[in-house]
Amino acid sequence: MAPQTSQARSAELVALFTELGPAWGAWTNACTPATSVSYIRMRLLHALDANGAQTMTQLANALGVTQRRITALVDALDEDGLVERRPNPADGRSTVVSLTKGGAALQKLTWDEYRADISRAFEDLTPEQQKQLIDITPVLTQALRRHTASRPSTP
């Protein structure tokens, strides 16, 4: 078999990742515990749990969403009593979001369940394949972030 050209390899990677993205999204949504909030809201709660109180901009950047989307997410979680907002003491123009006791309790209860359930997808991989994925995923993630940041913003 002839070696694959760089262009053919790139085309194959694009095709594979075009399939992987939706499959991963469907899996993460399917694994979201019934007792939890939506996957994106659970990620927001996790970001607050892992990193403490954050501004809306920090949360938007952490989740990779727009300011409009983070506002809607925080509004919903605030309405459910899972987060609270307060003026930023360092900059009165921004808002700091933090977990409430109820939000922290829900996060602790559901995040571990979620991680255990979602990790089942990796049980089909050999230990060597898991190690390869661990090695390459951060490299690819950084490359994607770098390439995304260098693109012109879309309206």
Side-chain angles (χ1 to χ4, degrees), residues 24-71:
W24 180 254
W27 178 243
T28 59
N29 284 325
C31 292
T32 301
T35 56
S36 185
V37 293
S38 70
Y39 170 67
I40 189 70
R41 291 179 189 176
M42 190 169 56
R43 282 187 54 218
L44 191 151
L45 293 175
H46 175 69
L48 291 171
D49 185 49
N51 302 309
Q54 298 176 58
T55 66
M56 299 281 274
T57 299
Q58 288 171 320
L59 286 170
N61 291 338
L63 273 61
V65 299
T66 64
Q67 289 293 326
R68 181 179 291 178
R69 180 74 170 122
I70 202 67
T71 298

Side-chain angles (χ1 to χ4, degrees), residues 108-124:
K108 181 167 178 36
L109 175 71
T110 59
W111 188 253
D112 288 343
E113 178 185 344
Y114 169 75
R115 287 181 56 179
D117 199 22
I118 206 164
S119 70
R120 291 185 14 237
F122 303 108
E123 292 172 359
D124 293 341

Side-chain angles (χ1 to χ4, degrees), residues 61 66 146-155:
N61 291 338
T66 64
R146 186 178 63 255
H147 289 296
T148 300
S150 70
R151 304 278 307 227
S153 296
T154 56

Side-chain angles (χ1 to χ4, degrees), residues 88-100:
N88 185 346
D91 177 3
R93 298 169 295 169
S94 66
T95 301
V96 173
V97 181
S98 60
L99 284 174
T100 63

Side-chain angles (χ1 to χ4, degrees), residues 11-29:
E12 184 176 3
L13 284 166
V14 168
L16 291 169
F17 274 82
T18 299
E19 293 292 320
L20 176 63
W24 180 254
W27 178 243
T28 59
N29 284 325

